[in-house]
Amino acid sequence: MGNGWRPRSTGVRERARARADRGPTGMSLLPWLLMGLGALSHLTGGEAPNPWIGGLGLLAFNTLYIAVVLRAFDARAREAPLTWVLLGTLGALTLALGIGYGREWLLFFPLLGLAVGAVVRRGRLLRVITVPLVAVAGLVTFWRDGWNSIGIVYGTFISVMVTATILTLDETVRQLRATREELARTAVEKERLRFSRDLHDLLGHTLSVIVVKTEVVRRLAPHDLDAALDQVRDIESVGRQALTEIREAVTGYREGSLATELDRARDALSSAGIEPVVRRSGPLLEPAAEALLSWVVRESTTNAVRHSGATRCEIALAGTAERVRLTVTDNGRGPAGTAPGSGLRGLRERVAAAGGTLDSGPAPGGGFQVAAELPVEAPSPHEGEPPQ
């Protein structure tokens, strides 16, 4: 198995996520041009007067529509004067074709509405353009086709508003996603900086003391062996203290973030070909509660990867102002045997010591479930190594 190997399901999800991140494009509005097939049929059927003028108008409309909607999905091109000139020309041509031919040609008004919604999208300008557009569409359709074309007026209004709303919402969601990712990167960078600073302060001082005492030993050894041995004992004591402090620093760093553990769980499950689903809601947790729930997530996902044979694993965290509940549910067969393993037994003891409960067993809908519940302000569990 090479280093570049990835499960096929993971690659498919990554490609789907990349497509979703790109959002809609101008190509998504081009299929609506099929609404113009009625006008084309009107021309080819010999029912339209001046068919050459109508044919040129149809060609010009399609060309202008394609140019406008493709430019509408480029932020810089959308705000350029040329886009507004093209949109205005498209509006004038739609009006002329609707007045001149009526019937199926009136369907160009909803297409114009799609182009307007894609370009304008939001703000007072959208209302300023939409109201006259719908009014003109109503006058032309009633004049050419009477009440039979009331749907054209409604379709024009809906095409403007729905297109503008969907594209504005998509743009807002992508901006929020980018902001969230930037905030996450900033938080990680700050944490790395804090951790590196702590290690620098810790190891810098400790190593400096060791170097100084080592030099003292080198000078004393030829003349005063007892004094040199005293310095060696001091070096040993400093080293042991440094090991203790480093363990405390690393433990605090690794247990401090439930979000980090959830990200590790996603990666581990995806690498094993298990689809991860993570849902998190509820209030912020105290560090002790986050640390304890991190161990529950780690042990449960480890069991899912090693023993479950599952294809899907859902991690759900929810709570109130007083209690928080974490469930890890997979659709596999669960661990072998009926008794929980030593890891789950150790977790149950730690959760109980913090005033909570932990249950494990068959899930209601099949598969295996681990459920932990504890107070939001859970007291710190007893010191010791994590469950194995």
Side-chain angles (χ1 to χ4, degrees):
M1 184 182 298
N3 292 333
W5 180 86
R6 293 180 301 174
R8 179 174 298 177
S9 59
T10 301
V12 171
R13 286 194 296 271
E14 289 178 353
R15 289 192 294 272
R17 188 180 299 114
R19 288 194 296 269
D21 290 340
R22 287 196 300 268
T25 65
M27 300 298 294
S28 59
L29 294 182
L30 295 187
W32 291 101
L33 283 174
L34 294 175
M35 294 172 63
L37 289 177
L40 179 61
S41 176
H42 190 217
L43 278 177
T44 57
E47 304 177 37
N50 301 314
W52 286 104
I53 295 177
L56 291 175
L58 181 60
L59 178 61
F61 180 91
N62 290 338
T63 303
L64 288 170
Y65 177 86
I66 292 172
V68 169
V69 298
L70 290 181
R71 293 176 66 86
F73 287 85
D74 184 314
R76 184 176 300 177
R78 184 170 65 243
E79 300 173 358
L82 177 60
T83 302
W84 292 96
V85 172
L86 294 174
L87 184 61
T89 306
L90 181 65
L93 181 60
T94 302
L95 179 61
L97 293 175
I99 293 175
Y101 292 94
R103 295 180 52 174
E104 293 85 354
W105 300 76
L106 297 175
L107 288 172
F108 289 159
F109 279 107
L111 286 174
L112 175 61
L114 291 175
V116 170
V119 172
V120 183
R121 299 196 179 188
R122 71 178 77 187
R124 182 175 177 271
L125 183 59
L126 181 63
R127 296 191 297 273
V128 170
I129 294 178
T130 302
V131 173
L133 172 61
V134 174
V136 170
L139 291 175
V140 174
T141 54
F142 291 152
W143 175 49
R144 292 292 305 185
D145 208 18
W147 287 97
N148 294 329
S149 298
I150 186 65
I152 300 294
V153 182
Y154 178 73
T156 302
F157 174 77
I158 289 298
S159 61
V160 174
M161 301 308 297
V162 170
T163 303
T165 301
I166 290 177
L167 295 181
T168 299
L169 180 61
D170 175 76
E171 185 178 356
T172 302
V173 169
R174 285 189 284 119
Q175 290 175 351
L176 289 174
R177 184 184 296 123
T179 302
R180 184 183 62 185
E181 292 174 354
E182 182 62 28
L183 290 174
R185 284 193 295 268
T186 301
V188 170
E189 291 173 359
K190 288 182 178 179
E191 182 63 12
R192 287 175 177 171
L193 180 61
R194 181 200 67 80
F195 186 54
S196 63
R197 184 178 60 247
D198 291 348
L199 284 182
H200 176 271
D201 294 342
L202 173 63
L203 294 180
H205 171 74
T206 302
L207 293 178
S208 296
V209 172
I210 290 176
V211 169
V212 169
K213 288 185 171 293
T214 303
E215 292 176 349
V216 172
V217 170
R218 178 172 52 81
R219 290 196 301 267
L220 290 177
H223 310 292
D224 191 343
L225 185 58
D226 291 336
L229 290 176
D230 290 338
Q231 295 295 325
V232 170
R233 283 189 287 269
D234 288 343
I235 293 174
E236 181 182 4
S237 176
V238 170
R240 291 183 182 278
Q241 180 63 29
L243 286 175
T244 300
E245 292 175 349
I246 290 173
R247 289 193 185 102
E248 292 174 354
V250 172
T251 300
Y253 178 72
R254 295 187 64 186
E255 292 189 351
S257 174
L258 178 59
T260 300
E261 195 57 45
L262 291 173
D263 289 339
R264 291 196 184 105
R266 285 192 189 95
D267 292 341
L269 292 169
S270 298
S271 298
I274 302 173
E275 179 188 4
V277 179
V278 178
R279 297 187 176 92
R280 182 173 184 178
S281 61
L284 295 176
L285 304 177
E286 293 294 327
E290 281 218 3
L292 193 51
L293 292 177
S294 296
W295 285 118
V296 176
V297 170
R298 184 177 305 179
E299 178 66 19
S300 302
T301 53
T302 299
N303 286 340
V305 169
R306 290 181 177 176
H307 311 299
S308 71
T311 59
R312 187 176 187 271
C313 182
E314 178 178 328
I315 304 173
L317 178 68
T320 64
E322 294 78 26
R323 306 282 293 183
V324 60
R325 179 177 175 83
L326 171 71
T327 59
V328 182
T329 309
D330 63 63
N331 62 353
R333 58 181 176 271
T338 57
S342 59
L344 289 177
R345 285 197 300 271
L347 277 175
R348 183 175 289 112
E349 294 171 359
R350 297 183 70 187
V351 171
T357 60
L358 186 143
D359 298 311
S360 60
F368 190 79
Q369 183 179 80
V370 177
E373 185 174 335
L374 68 158
V376 171
E377 299 182 357
S380 299
H382 63 273
E383 296 292 329
E385 295 294 325
Q388 301 297 324

